[in-house]
Amino acid sequence: MEHPRILFSGSLISFAVIAATFACSNGQCKLGDECSSDADCQTGLSCFSCSEAFDGLRCIRSTTTNQFEFMNSLPFNRYAYLTTHNSFANEVEPLHTGIRLTFLNQEDNVTQQLNNGVRALMLDTYDFKGDIWLCHSFGGRCHDYTAFWLAIDTLKEVEAFLSGNPSEIVTLFLEDYVETPNGLSKVFKDAGLMKYWFPVSSMPQNGQDWPLVKDMVASNQRFVVFTSAKSKQESEGIAYQWNYVVENHYGDVGEHPGECSNRGESAPLNDKTKSLVLINHFHSIAFKVMACEDNSASLISMLDTCYGRSGNRWANFVAVDYYKRSDGGGVFQAVDKLNGQLLCGCDDVHSCVPGSSSATCSATKDQ
């Protein structure tokens, strides 16, 4: 007599599982909901796995908040910008040399990164095959098996983005091994980027504020470039990074919890004669499965640690691998926190009153 009740109970359980499985779809799934593809998730979310935090697939954040929509009347150094490490080393672009035996750091191409809110790119530039290429190195040189593609191709993607988004600013950090005289200047010119160039002569000295974002936009000086090659500031007018930026250790050396120290080329993080703070948070070798954990709670913890080490200054740039991988809010939540602190002293930029020119938090968010 008990069998029908057991079967009925089992049917209820099966129905509940099916109902839960199909609880949302077609762009209705919210942050943290289970999903089967990106199409299930709401705008600004993507469907990803994160085995360290949950089973299966869930909707997680995949785009940034536009901090300039809250206020654009502050100096450039009073905002935070999502930065991709080795932006060029992504899974999308095809082979250009017939073979590639090197590691990847991102899933999206540069155009997709920019469209998702990345505003600073880290590129490694080399002389190769009579031109300027983006490349990983082996033995300090670019090879067929470590090369990605011509630098001008990626720079044209940046130009197209700036052309189509006239209120946006893009920053480049170049790990620069180009020895060809004026080689970088030529490729920037050929890519059509000089009309957006922010000149070294306008960059602040001794820790002063940068120009206001709205003024940079009005003057169309929306392309900020830093090089690791000191000589190029004088010879090509490309800013030497460590005259203006402090930066923590990158790779495994910089991944110790509770620690945050400057990389060798950088001044100490608490040197306030440099107006910009760049924080790296990635391992020496990128693994997609590790990025989920790296880009979650440990990232927030690192930013808190580096705030203290940087003389109580929040990071302006936060550089990561596989930027869309996390257990939920990820790097996008981290940048929201940075911008909230920089703009209005709150832990979330959404607490800042849109359009306000003062350090004001939304009362509804703080209650």
Side-chain angles (χ1 to χ4, degrees), residues 155-283:
L155 294 178
K156 285 181 177 179
E157 291 184 73
V158 176
E159 194 284 329
F161 177 80
L162 288 170
S163 176
N165 297 272
S167 63
E168 297 296 340
I169 298 170
V170 174
T171 302
L172 293 192
F173 292 98
L174 301 180
E175 188 172 326
D176 182 3
Y177 300 96
V178 174
E179 297 179 357
T180 300
N182 298 308
L184 280 179
S185 299
K186 182 180 185 302
V187 77
F188 285 128
K189 184 180 297 183
D190 291 347
L193 284 165
M194 296 309 296
K195 58 182 173 289
Y196 306 112
W197 193 266
F198 188 90
V200 171
S201 59
S202 297
M203 294 185 180
Q205 303 289 331
N206 300 318
Q208 297 170 328
D209 278 334
W210 281 62
L212 304 182
V213 161
K214 65 179 182 180
D215 292 341
M216 293 173 68
V217 169
S219 61
N220 207 32
Q221 294 178 337
R222 300 183 291 117
F223 186 49
V224 181
V225 183
F226 297 105
T227 175
S228 62
K230 186 175 183 179
S231 63
K232 295 202 178 151
Q233 178 159 319
E234 182 175 349
S235 64
E236 298 188 49
I238 305 173
Y240 179 52
Q241 178 176 336
W242 291 289
N243 284 342
Y244 307 94
V245 184
V246 293
E247 178 181 356
N248 72 324
H249 270 297
Y250 59 90
D252 293 344
V253 175
E255 288 297 288
H256 301 294
E259 298 181 13
C260 186
S261 58
N262 60 285
R263 63 180 290 174
E265 302 92 333
S266 169
L269 296 179
N270 62 359
D271 182 348
K272 294 187 178 181
T273 66
K274 315 295 187 283
S275 303
L276 296 170
V277 178
L278 165 60
I279 298 302
N280 299 300
H281 189 61
F282 50 82
H283 287 278

